[in-house]
Amino acid sequence: LAGWLLVASGIVIAAVAAGAFKRVGTGIVPFDPATALVTGGLYRYTRNPIYLGMVLLLVGVAIALGSLGAWLPIPAFVWIIQAWFIVGEERFLEQTFGESYVAYKRGVRRWL
């Protein structure tokens, strides 16, 4: 049951975070042009709530399955998201929004 609660929580977190992008009319696809800097809602607590939701979903599935093998892809997923997406996205956002994004980065953690 705990695993499925984490799966549901991950889906809700990712959906709410994606909805924040939609409300301000900015792109959600990585590296699409950003037209607005989203800093409210879940983005007050983590700079990457969509990715955090994805990780919670994976952890929930691993717990629900009760298998050690289900845990194996999670560190690789986190590393890929961090190295291939987050680092580039943060560089892009810093170029696009300048000091506003730098100040946001100083005040909000990347994950939690």
Side-chain angles (χ1 to χ4, degrees), residues 18 20 27 31 41 46 50 56 58-60 62-63 67 104:
F31 305 108
T46 172
I50 295 173
L56 286 175
L58 291 173
V59 168
I63 291 171
S67 167
Y104 171 67

Side-chain angles (χ1 to χ4, degrees), residues 15-31:
V16 168
F21 278 32
K22 188 173 182 175
R23 277 192 298 283
V24 299
T26 194
I28 190 169
V29 177
F31 305 108

Side-chain angles (χ1 to χ4, degrees), residues 16-88:
V16 168
F21 278 32
K22 188 173 182 175
R23 277 192 298 283
V24 299
T26 194
I28 190 169
V29 177
F31 305 108
D32 269 3
T35 58
L37 182 60
V38 179
T39 59
L42 294 173
Y43 291 89
R44 290 179 301 193
Y45 309 104
T46 172
R47 296 196 311 260
N48 298 288
I50 295 173
Y51 296 141
L52 178 63
M54 292 175 178
V55 171
L56 286 175
L57 184 147
L58 291 173
V59 168
V61 168
I63 291 171
L65 292 177
S67 167
L68 183 60
W71 290 92
L72 295 177
I74 297 172
F77 177 80
V78 170
W79 182 82
I80 289 167
I81 290 297
Q82 179 108 355
W84 293 1
F85 291 90
I86 293 174
V87 171

